[in-house]
Amino acid sequence: MNRRQLIAAGLAATAAPLPAATPREDWQALAGEVKAAMRFAFAAYRQIAWGQDEVKPVSGGGQSFLIPGASVGLSIVEALDTLWLMGLDAELEDAVRWIHQRLTFDLDGDAQVFEASIRLVGGLLSGHLATGDARLLELAHDLASRMMPCFETPTGMPMRYVNLRTGKTRDGQSFPAEIGGGMAPEYVTLSRLTGERRFADKAVAAMLALHARRSKIGLVGDTIDVTTGQWVGRRATVGPPTDSYLEYLWDTWRLTGDVRCRDAYRVETAAILARMADRTTGDLWFANVDFETGAKLSLRQSELSAYYGGLLSEGGDHDAGVAAMTGWIAAQDRYGVLPEAFDPTDWRVLAPTNALRPELADGAFTLWLHDRDERWRHVVAKHFRLMIAKNKAPHGFSGLKDVRTGAQDDACPGYWWSEQMKYYWLIFSDTKRFDYKDNYLSTEGNVLKGLRR
Ligand code: DMJ
């Protein structure tokens, strides 16, 4: 849609879409606070949970994430490019040393392909691009190679789990994010760096196989059987479990120039804007609808959908992207730390937890990259300060069991190291290590383009 069509559809930003610019901030000073928070959390993790996938920031200790009982240093891998961008060189050296000495994927356990790809393959690749360290690329290649059997299905769409030692796969009932959003930019980058086309070919084909199964009105459902190609869940949503699929259609076009991905993104985005955009509250939200009829199912919003305004802007619909963020800004003003799910019709909290989610900062950062409107920085500053006020724990930063009471849940997910800490740093610091004009950050915040060494 062009701007005229957007206005006609009521999607363009109307008056005062963003909060009025608030008092002048010293962004460099704020960047310093972000770096101090990263240094504090990394030191605590180093001391009490080094090598575990995740630190338990309230009680101390750690836990595995990918494979029960077998940690692969997930937080170390996820932190790599963030540490590099912040110039935390001693911490980065420790992290790379641990990976050299300890990291192996020769494990007899079932890895979830989506999580292993966006977090570990992506983290190792961005770590390699930041440091030039060859072992990081070797390990990304090793892990992705172990997971390649997932694509051996009649549809080419991946099975959800693969045993890293035997290659045995399981669980064919999957979701758009895990099929199309779990791999393409990571695997395209891996193919570029190794010269082996098979990674990109399989990942892009899987994403397009899902797109080919869209409904007549251009939407995808939320669950599909990858062995038969039959839809199992009928809900179309921009949130989970579809979110990263929509991101990766556009991202793959940007990284490879593959017009099939651009066209797929355009078809699905036009359908979303036409069928799911909802103005019943005054703000622009995206409803959950039936993927074949377009009938509205609910306006329930998952916090993870807050990325979507940024994606719209990246895809060329900047005004709609700005409009799509205004409700999220109002939600942050209302709740403080956002709940995992709410209904914007009456602001009822539907799920009170918050697993240290980065999506609001992600969306605002992406919009800022496009228009440099200072007010996005204020939105992100508020997100950062809320985290310091509510999530800081004795050994790092913790998710919340209930955003209304502030009770902490004693978990720091791996993406915290890769996502919001990086978005905060990049938006406040103006670091010379990042190309603010020409860059690419993955769904997990891994910088696969734009690191300036
Ligand atoms: C992260 O792993 C990624 O951002 C993914 O795309 C969605 N979920 C989490 C963060 O909430």
Side-chain angles (χ1 to χ4, degrees):
M1 288 193 192
N2 59 33
R3 186 170 163 78
R4 204 175 318 124
Q5 290 167 317
L6 285 170
I7 291 169
L11 299 180
T14 46
L18 299 173
T22 35
R24 286 181 69 79
E25 283 270 10
D26 180 343
W27 299 119
Q28 288 304 317
L30 203 52
E33 290 178 38
V34 173
K35 188 166 169 175
M38 183 78 175
R39 191 183 271 130
F40 152 72
F42 198 81
Y45 169 61
R46 176 101 180 65
Q47 196 185 346
I48 62 173
W50 194 229
Q52 303 263 1
D53 284 339
E54 295 178 347
V55 62
K56 297 182 86 163
V58 177
S59 61
Q63 58 192 359
S64 55
F65 170 79
L66 195 67
I67 295 173
S71 279
V72 288
L74 175 68
S75 295
I76 295 178
V77 174
E78 297 230 39
L80 290 172
D81 64 344
T82 310
L83 292 172
W84 184 83
L85 283 162
M86 290 183 180
L88 289 172
D89 297 335
E91 286 85 350
L92 179 62
E93 230 173 82
D94 275 356
V96 173
R97 190 178 315 113
W98 184 89
I99 291 172
H100 277 235
Q101 292 172 352
R102 305 290 298 275
L103 185 55
T104 175
F105 296 116
D106 184 20
L107 298 167
D108 187 11
D110 293 354
Q112 193 180 344
V113 175
F114 168 71
E115 299 292 2
S117 298
I118 63 170
R119 294 165 183 254
L120 287 162
V121 176
L124 288 163
L125 288 174
S126 58
H128 165 73
L129 293 169
T131 61
D133 187 286
R135 180 70 185 143
L136 302 182
L137 177 58
E138 268 172 38
L139 283 161
H141 178 266
D142 175 53
L143 176 57
S145 301
R146 290 173 185 275
M147 295 195 292
M148 287 305 271
C150 73
F151 292 109
E152 301 310 318
T153 62
T155 63
M157 295 189 283
M159 301 287 282
R160 293 187 64 216
Y161 289 87
V162 59
N163 183 293
L164 293 182
R165 186 167 292 161
T166 65
K168 189 159 185 277
T169 61
R170 70 171 165 88
D171 211 338
Q173 198 153 302
S174 193
F175 316 103
E178 297 198 22
I179 292 164
M183 282 160 241
E186 289 80 4
Y187 285 33
V188 158
T189 304
L190 185 59
S191 286
R192 178 172 67 75
L193 293 170
T194 61
E196 287 181 38
R197 288 197 52 94
R198 61 186 176 123
F199 301 109
D201 287 350
K202 293 283 187 189
V204 174
M207 194 163 63
L208 292 173
L210 182 70
H211 174 67
R213 289 170 172 81
R214 68 192 179 281
S215 70
K216 289 201 175 74
I217 62 172
L219 298 174
V220 294
D222 64 359
T223 314
I224 193 165
D225 187 326
V226 302
T227 63
T228 63
Q230 297 299 309
W231 287 104
V232 178
R234 302 181 59 84
R235 181 179 61 115
T237 177
V238 299
T242 300
D243 42 5
S244 318
Y245 163 65
L246 300 171
E247 291 180 274
Y248 276 10
L249 287 174
W250 180 254
D251 295 358
T252 306
W253 144 248
R254 276 186 56 204
L255 282 177
T256 65
D258 187 332
V259 294
R260 296 171 304 170
C261 299
R262 180 200 60 195
D263 295 348
Y265 173 82
R266 294 240 180 277
V267 166
E268 296 204 27
T269 303
I272 289 167
L273 292 174
R275 305 280 183 167
M276 293 163 65
D278 190 299
R279 281 279 193 186
T280 51
T281 68
D283 286 319
L284 172 60
W285 297 101
F286 290 89
N288 304 295
V289 306
D290 183 279
F291 82 117
E292 284 183 317
T293 66
K296 182 170 167 179
L297 302 174
S298 80
L299 203 54
R300 181 185 210 272
Q301 297 298 309
S302 159
E303 187 281 343
L304 284 87
S305 307
Y307 77 100
Y308 192 61
L311 176 60
L312 283 173
S313 172
E314 286 185 303
D317 296 307
H318 184 71
D319 291 340
V322 172
M325 279 301 279
T326 59
W328 290 101
I329 295 166
Q332 176 166 262
D333 290 344
R334 168 176 290 267
Y335 298 118
V337 176
L338 295 178
E340 195 78 1
F342 60 91
D343 187 335
T345 317
D346 52 9
W347 296 109
R348 243 174 331 129
V349 171
L350 302 177
T353 55
N354 183 298
L356 267 181
R357 294 288 183 192
E359 283 76 12
L360 180 56
D362 180 357
F365 170 62
T366 306
L367 283 158
W368 177 80
L369 281 177
H370 282 253
D371 64 14
R372 296 306 166 94
D373 190 321
E374 282 285 282
R375 287 175 294 181
W376 298 120
R377 278 181 152 171
H378 289 279
V379 171
V380 176
K382 183 162 188 172
H383 195 268
F384 170 66
R385 289 190 169 117
L386 281 164
M387 183 192 79
I388 297 292
K390 303 286 182 187
N391 303 89
K392 193 163 184 193
H395 311 286
F397 290 84
S398 169
L400 301 181
K401 278 189 221 159
D402 192 324
V403 298
R404 298 164 301 190
T405 63
Q408 297 186 338
D409 69 3
D410 199 16
C412 178
Y415 51 74
W416 180 84
W417 305 92
S418 181
E419 293 208 57
Q420 58 263 59
M421 294 308 284
K422 186 180 291 135
Y423 308 140
Y424 300 151
W425 173 252
L426 290 178
I427 201 170
F428 303 141
S429 71
D430 286 326
T431 174
K432 291 195 168 45
R433 292 190 169 197
F434 184 68
D435 184 340
Y436 284 87
K437 293 212 172 78
D438 188 15
N439 54 68
Y440 170 69
L441 278 73
S442 75
T443 192
E444 190 75 357
N446 288 308
V447 186
L448 298 179
K449 188 175 170 194
L451 294 167
R452 281 190 163 156
R453 291 175 60 202

